[in-house]
């Protein structure tokens, strides 16, 4: 049995919140650079160049790359042989978010009540999902999900008879409707199967994979490539200014589902694709 | 790429000179305002109360910056999605607002009002908040400080890069640009 003190969790969470907002991942930088070679529109190329400049300024000046530093979402993998000591996991995470967002001069974007809309002032509560797995480790995966792209996400209970074609249409249509609102070039997380809520969960979780990292299953990997291409034929382009780079990647996760059902969730992620992970 | 330079505030003549797809560098003062601030402004207008800011010839920037670190003028300050304030925009345009900076689609009511009141909608690059913060020379909170990141701020901008999306002639650059690469 491995013991992990709550303070270790809090410290790591605080650090992840800050670095995710400031340091764009290498996968994203590479995706920008390779899209620059392929992008057909001048204005589209110019937008991507400015996004690369933005990432550089953010890193150099330790300033958030985007003013929307997001809602803190955590996917935790907890080993059966791991024990959290001196407190509660959820509290430790919230404390880390509060510290990370406060000390890092990150924007507080969470309201206590969706109807009253009073800001909580410390970007908590975080959204935390825990999965139990073999082992004695605690893996913390974090994403700072911005509102602009999240707002353009969709979920539909399709019919089994809609088939793969129906799913593809729904995915591409979601990216079309999101258009410039979602800050393209986007990364598209797709969850197929499960239940109503599980499809959304796996759609978001799929976004934790690096850009360019294909699904382990060949048939899913091929769909990811095909749908990325389809999205790029929409003409939307970087920031909706027209072009051939609308999506940098499509990520798909699948789950068993009911004989009557075909839930499909599309979770859209903007180009400020912030995700960090740590294993304790 | 050719860029027009415009000094704020806007006038009918300056607005009429702008066409969808034009790349523009804006200099002068703008108001930062987001959803919650718009809601309050509209409530005051509906109650015939005086507004805390004057709108004639002004430009609103839809932005909620990150807090400035000590020694900084402003934190990261890119545009937020404009469509969220569509409900409030025609009323502000009727009171003299001449321009808006944001990102993303506007609805039909807003596009019609842009033509009717001779206004213009610009887009800045979403997610480039660090880069855009360098184009902001000063920041003062002028209303609704309690709203935190959503407070109304007066910003002085210099050579702030934007693209005209909706001009006063009814053109929509998002539609036109996507058509070319579809």
């Amino acid at each position: 049995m491995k013991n992990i003190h709550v303070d270790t969790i809090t410290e790591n969470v605080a650090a992840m919140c800050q670095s995710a907002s400031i340091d764009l991942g290498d996968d994203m930088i590479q995706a920008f650079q390779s899209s620059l070679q392929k992008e057909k529109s001048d204005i589209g190329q110019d937008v991507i160049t400015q996004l690369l400049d933005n990432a550089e300024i953010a890193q150099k000046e330790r300033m958030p790359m985007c003013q929307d530093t997001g809602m803190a979402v955590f996917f935790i993998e907890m080993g059966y042989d791991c024990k959290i000591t001196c407190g509660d996991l959820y509290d430790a995470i919230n404390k880390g978010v509060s510290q990370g967002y406060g000390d890092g001069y990150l924007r507080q974007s969470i309201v206590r009540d969706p109807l009253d809309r009073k800001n909580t002032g410390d970007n908590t509560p975080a959204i935390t999902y825990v999965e139990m797995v073999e082992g004695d480790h605690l893996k913390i995966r974090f994403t700072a999900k911005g509102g602009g792209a999240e707002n353009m996400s969709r979920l539909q209970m399709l019919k089994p008879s809609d088939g793969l074609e129906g799913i593809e249409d729904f995915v591409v249509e979601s990216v079309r409707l999101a258009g410039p609102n979602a800050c393209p070039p986007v990364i598209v997380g797709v969850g197929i199967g499960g239940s109503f809520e599980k499809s959304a969960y796996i759609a978001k979780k799929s976004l934790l994979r690096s850009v360019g990292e294909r699904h382990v299953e060949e048939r899913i990997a091929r769909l990811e490539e095909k749908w990325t291409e389809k999205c790029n034929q929409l003409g939307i382009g970087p920031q909706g200014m027209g072009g051939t780079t609308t999506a940098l990647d499509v990520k798909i996760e699948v789950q068993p589902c009911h004989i009557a059902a075909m839930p499909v969730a599309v979770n859209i992620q903007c180009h400020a694709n912030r995700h960090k992970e740590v294993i304790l | 790429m050719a860029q027009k330079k415009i000094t704020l505030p806007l006038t009918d003549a300056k607005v009429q000179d702008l066409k969808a797809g034009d790349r523009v560098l804006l200099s002068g003062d703008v108001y930062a305002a987001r959803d919650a601030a718009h809601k309050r402004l509209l409530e005051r207008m509906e109650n015939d109360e005086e507004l805390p800011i004057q709108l004639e010839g002004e430009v609103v920037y839809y932005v909620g910056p990150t807090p400035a670190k000590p020694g900084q003028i402003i934190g990261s300050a890119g545009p937020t999605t404009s469509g969220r304030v569509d409900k409030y925009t025609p009323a502000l345009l009727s009171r003299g607002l001449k321009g808006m900076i944001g990102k993303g689609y506007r609805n039909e009511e807003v596009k019609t009002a842009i033509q009717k009141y001779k206004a213009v909608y610009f887009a800045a690059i979403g997610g480039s908040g660090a880069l855009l913060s360098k184009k902001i020379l000063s920041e003062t909170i002028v209303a609704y400080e309690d709203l935190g990141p959503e407070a109304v701020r007066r910003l002085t901008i210099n050579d702030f890069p934007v693209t005209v999306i909706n001009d006063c002639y009814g053109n929509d650059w998002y539609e036109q640009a996507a058509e070319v690469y579809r």
Side-chain angles (χ1 to χ4, degrees):
Chain A
M1 186 66 74
K2 186 197 276 175
N3 289 331
I4 298 175
H5 195 280
V6 280
D7 288 351
T8 308
I9 297 169
T10 297
E11 281 162 26
N12 276 281
V13 163
M16 285 164 99
C17 292
Q18 293 190 24
S19 66
S21 292
I22 293 166
D23 302 308
L24 190 60
D26 291 340
D27 60 329
M28 286 303 298
I29 302 278
Q30 273 171 24
F32 280 153
Q33 279 163 349
S34 76
S35 68
L36 207 47
Q37 309 300 318
K38 288 181 273 181
E39 176 53 57
K40 291 207 177 103
S41 107
D42 291 346
I43 190 163
Q45 283 177 15
D46 189 47
V47 168
I48 297 167
T49 305
Q50 290 194 51
L51 292 178
L52 280 163
D53 290 348
N54 183 64
E56 201 179 310
I57 293 171
Q59 196 168 39
K60 207 178 283 173
E61 302 200 8
R62 311 310 294 157
M63 183 189 250
M65 61 186 99
C66 176
Q67 75 290 339
D68 184 354
T69 48
M71 181 172 218
V73 183
F74 293 87
F75 293 85
I76 309 286
E77 239 180 50
M78 189 171 171
Y80 291 114
D81 299 320
C82 159
K83 188 176 186 305
I84 290 160
T85 60
C86 301
D88 174 82
L89 172 68
Y90 297 98
D91 289 346
I93 288 174
N94 281 328
K95 203 171 154 196
V97 169
S98 176
Q99 278 178 16
Y101 276 71
D103 297 348
Y105 293 87
L106 308 183
R107 198 179 78 185
Q108 322 290 6
S109 307
I110 306 304
V111 291
R112 170 74 53 204
D113 180 314
L115 306 176
D116 289 350
R117 307 203 73 81
K118 293 245 183 346
N119 200 302
T120 62
D122 67 353
N123 219 55
T124 66
I127 305 258
T128 303
Y129 302 104
V130 183
E131 285 180 24
M132 299 301 294
V133 296
E134 292 293 329
D136 65 354
H137 68 285
L138 185 76
K139 188 194 231 180
I140 304 174
R141 297 205 284 173
F142 164 68
T143 179
K145 199 73 175 69
E150 183 82 348
N151 277 343
M152 304 316 293
S153 301
R154 293 165 88 215
L155 194 151
Q156 179 109 41
M157 303 305 284
L158 294 179
K159 292 188 281 291
S161 64
D162 290 324
L164 199 51
E165 200 182 320
I167 301 170
E168 181 180 298
D169 287 348
F170 180 68
V171 171
V172 177
E173 179 68 357
S174 298
V175 173
R176 191 186 68 78
L177 290 172
N181 291 25
C183 283
V186 294
I187 295 119
V188 187
V190 182
I192 307 171
S195 52
F196 178 79
E197 81 288 357
K198 186 78 175 186
S199 63
Y201 173 76
I202 59 173
K204 180 160 286 181
K205 202 175 162 194
S206 77
L207 294 169
L208 296 173
R209 266 195 273 141
S210 293
V211 173
E213 184 189 339
R214 295 270 70 87
H215 194 277
V216 286
E217 268 189 66
E218 179 63 28
R219 68 187 174 115
I220 305 294
R222 275 204 303 271
L223 285 177
E224 290 178 342
E225 282 165 7
K226 186 184 172 205
W227 293 355
T228 304
E229 210 170 290
K230 285 258 171 192
C231 291
N232 287 330
Q233 287 164 5
L234 289 167
I236 294 164
Q239 292 294 312
M241 299 292 172
T244 50
T245 315
T246 300
L248 293 172
D249 209 350
V250 173
K251 304 289 189 198
I252 304 171
E253 292 295 334
V254 292
Q255 277 276 320
C257 67
H258 192 282
I259 50 172
M262 180 73 99
V264 180
V266 176
N267 192 210
I268 300 204
Q269 172 59 41
C270 64
H271 58 78
N273 185 22
R274 296 162 289 212
H275 52 91
K276 294 282 165 194
E277 81 170 57
V278 66
I279 299 171
L280 301 177
Chain B
M1 230 169 273
Q3 283 175 309
K4 288 183 180 174
K5 288 201 175 210
I6 295 270
T7 306
L8 304 173
L10 290 174
T11 58
D12 279 359
K14 287 179 193 174
V15 167
Q16 281 167 320
D17 191 38
L18 294 169
K19 298 266 165 58
D22 280 354
R23 315 198 61 202
V24 184
L25 295 173
L26 295 174
S27 297
D29 284 4
V30 297
Y31 285 119
R34 286 173 45 103
D35 316 42
H38 274 74
K39 185 164 185 269
R40 286 196 190 173
L41 290 173
L42 259 289
E43 279 163 4
R44 291 192 76 92
M45 283 170 67
E46 278 160 12
N47 296 328
D48 287 325
E49 289 167 320
E50 206 182 319
L51 296 181
I53 56 173
Q54 295 302 313
L55 294 170
E56 199 67 40
E58 295 289 349
V59 170
V60 166
Y61 180 22
Y62 307 132
V63 58
T66 59
K69 281 189 202 171
Q72 275 180 342
I73 290 164
I74 195 166
S76 194
T80 195
T81 317
S82 311
R84 288 201 314 270
V85 296
D86 278 352
K87 184 179 164 186
Y88 311 114
T89 299
L92 297 186
L93 291 171
S94 77
R95 290 280 288 255
L97 181 72
K98 278 295 198 185
M100 298 148 286
I101 307 168
K103 53 123 176 154
Y105 298 123
R106 306 311 303 259
N107 70 14
E108 289 308 318
E109 286 76 19
V110 172
K111 291 187 210 175
T112 305
I114 284 172
Q115 282 183 266
K116 182 176 175 190
Y117 298 109
K118 282 201 181 67
V120 59
Y121 169 52
F122 303 102
I125 297 181
S128 69
L131 183 78
L132 290 171
S133 73
K134 304 290 157 208
K135 311 291 180 187
I136 299 170
L137 306 182
S138 74
E139 181 219 24
T140 323
I141 292 184
V142 291
Y144 310 145
E145 191 164 2
D146 62 299
L147 292 179
E150 296 204 74
V152 176
R153 294 166 160 84
R154 189 83 172 156
L155 306 177
T156 305
I157 58 177
N158 184 47
D159 284 345
F160 192 91
V162 293
T163 303
V164 176
I165 303 297
N166 296 108
D167 62 25
C168 66
Y169 306 103
N171 296 306
D172 186 321
W173 184 245
Y174 287 139
E175 285 172 13
Q176 293 173 11
E179 202 66 48
V180 179
Y181 297 95
R182 204 169 284 152

